[in-house]
């Protein structure tokens, strides 16, 4: 089954404790991206990658890092999480920038 | 600044009724417009995509329209079902050289009741 998977689905952590949210897709897509979704603000792009070893900042990249060492994986790294990064995070992949297949989401709470 | 505005913010309708959701955008240069359905706690799922030359596209009981001159789109849901309860997000793509830029609306939350 074609899908985008994210782990963990739910995470509660404390300020400053480094964490990684994994994202994996099995559709051989070149294009992957990370979004955060906050009430009243809609989806905002954090980072995107157009292929292996090619990443670029989206609209809200501060406080996040990504890497794309393999085509199927695109982890999101929070080196020092802060409460303002409490949000619902989505990974998406596509064969072009328009057709986005979204993962199930990761709800992150930073206390 | 590229913007996508959706209305209404929320809507409650009775099962079996029709409804229309609106999307106005100021995105340039326009490439395409997509409507997504997002169930609570799930990722968005694409319903339709329309390019500049298309003014109507259907997907079952969902029909999207696009007026590129007025920069407006609508999503019409026919004979609503309880399973239509979700947020509907309008996303507009702008061409940016070889890349693209997506602008998301904040969504319309639809609740279908008995």
């Amino acid at each position: 089954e074609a899908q985008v998977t994210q782990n963990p689905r739910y995470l509660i952590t404390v300020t400053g404790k480094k964490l990684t949210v994994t994202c994996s897709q099995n559709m051989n897509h070149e294009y992957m991206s990370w979004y955060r979704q906050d009430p009243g603000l809609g989806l905002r792009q954090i980072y995107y990658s157009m292929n292996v070893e090619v990443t670029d900042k989206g609209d809200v990249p501060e406080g996040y890092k990504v890497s794309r060492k393999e085509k199927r994986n695109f982890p999101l790294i929070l080196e020092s999480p802060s409460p303002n990064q409490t949000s619902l995070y989505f990974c998406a992949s596509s064969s072009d920038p328009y057709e986005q297949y979204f993962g199930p989401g990761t709800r992150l709470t930073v206390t | 600044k590229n913007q996508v505005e959706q209305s209404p913010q929320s809507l409650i309708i009775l099962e079996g009724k029709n409804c229309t959701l609106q999307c106005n955008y100021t995105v340039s240069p326009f490439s395409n417009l997509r409507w997504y359905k997002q169930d609570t706690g799930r990722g968005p799922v694409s319903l339709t995509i329309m390019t500049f030359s298309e003014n109507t596209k259907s997907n079952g009981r969902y029909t999207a329209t696009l007026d590129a001159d007025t920069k407006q789109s609508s999503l019409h849901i026919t004979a609503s079902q309880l399973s239509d309860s979700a947020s509907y997000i309008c996303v507009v793509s702008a061409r940016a050289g070889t890349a693209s830029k997506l602008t998301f609306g904040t969504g319309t939350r639809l609740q279908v009741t008995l």
Side-chain angles (χ1 to χ4, degrees), chain B residues 30-61:
Chain B
F30 177 85
S31 179
N32 60 67
L33 184 147
R34 187 183 295 275
W35 283 93
Y36 283 88
K37 178 186 179 186
Q38 184 178 19
D39 294 314
T40 301
R42 307 284 294 272
V45 175
S46 178
L47 292 174
T48 66
I49 179 172
M50 288 188 292
T51 59
F52 185 87
S53 59
E54 297 173 300
N55 54 26
T56 302
K57 180 97 44 108
S58 291
N59 178 359
R61 294 180 296 102

Side-chain angles (χ1 to χ4, degrees), chain A residues 9 31 35 37 40-45 48 50 58-59 88 90 97-105 107, chain B residues 9 31-32 34 36 38 41-46 49 89 93-95 98-102 104-107:
Chain A
R9 295 289 315 279
Y31 192 88
Y35 297 88
Q37 187 175 37
L41 293 179
L43 284 152
R44 293 180 292 168
Q45 191 178 55
Y48 65 95
M50 298 184 75
D59 297 318
L88 180 57
F90 289 100
Y98 308 120
E99 176 70 77
Q100 303 260 327
Y101 293 88
F102 285 86
R107 186 167 292 282
Chain B
Q9 196 170 20
S31 179
N32 60 67
R34 187 183 295 275
Y36 283 88
Q38 184 178 19
R42 307 284 294 272
V45 175
S46 178
I49 179 172
I89 302 171
S93 300
R95 288 190 300 274
T98 57
S100 68
K101 176 66 177 174
L102 301 178
F104 290 79
T106 56

Side-chain angles (χ1 to χ4, degrees), chain A residues 2-104:
Chain A
Q3 59 182 351
V4 177
T5 57
Q6 295 178 225
N7 282 292
R9 295 289 315 279
Y10 303 90
L11 180 60
I12 300 174
T13 189
V14 296
T15 299
K17 186 176 182 181
K18 180 180 179 179
L19 66 92
T20 298
V21 184
T22 65
C23 173
S24 182
Q25 51 95 2
N26 62 1
M27 295 169 278
N28 201 37
H29 285 162
E30 287 85 23
Y31 192 88
M32 296 185 75
S33 57
W34 274 103
Y35 297 88
R36 61 178 290 173
Q37 187 175 37
D38 302 291
L41 293 179
L43 284 152
R44 293 180 292 168
Q45 191 178 55
I46 302 171
Y47 268 95
Y48 65 95
S49 169
M50 298 184 75
N51 215 322
V52 175
E53 303 291 1
V54 180
T55 63
D56 208 348
K57 297 177 180 178
D59 297 318
V60 289
E62 294 77 22
Y64 305 94
K65 285 175 57 177
V66 293
S67 68
R68 188 89 183 274
K69 294 183 170 58
E70 307 167 276
K71 198 172 190 179
R72 63 183 290 125
N73 296 323
F74 190 44
L76 179 69
I77 303 156
L78 284 73
E79 295 271 3
S80 182
S82 62
N84 64 13
Q85 292 179 299
T86 292
S87 187
L88 180 57
Y89 291 87
F90 289 100
C91 178
S93 78
S94 62
S95 56
D96 63 65
Y98 308 120
E99 176 70 77
Q100 303 260 327
Y101 293 88
F102 285 86

Side-chain angles (χ1 to χ4, degrees), chain B residues 15 37 39 61-62 79-86 88 110 112:
Chain B
E15 186 181 31
K37 178 186 179 186
D39 294 314
R61 294 180 296 102
Y62 300 102
S80 61
Q81 300 176 359
L82 295 177
S83 59
D84 293 330
S85 295
Y88 292 83
L110 173 66
V112 181

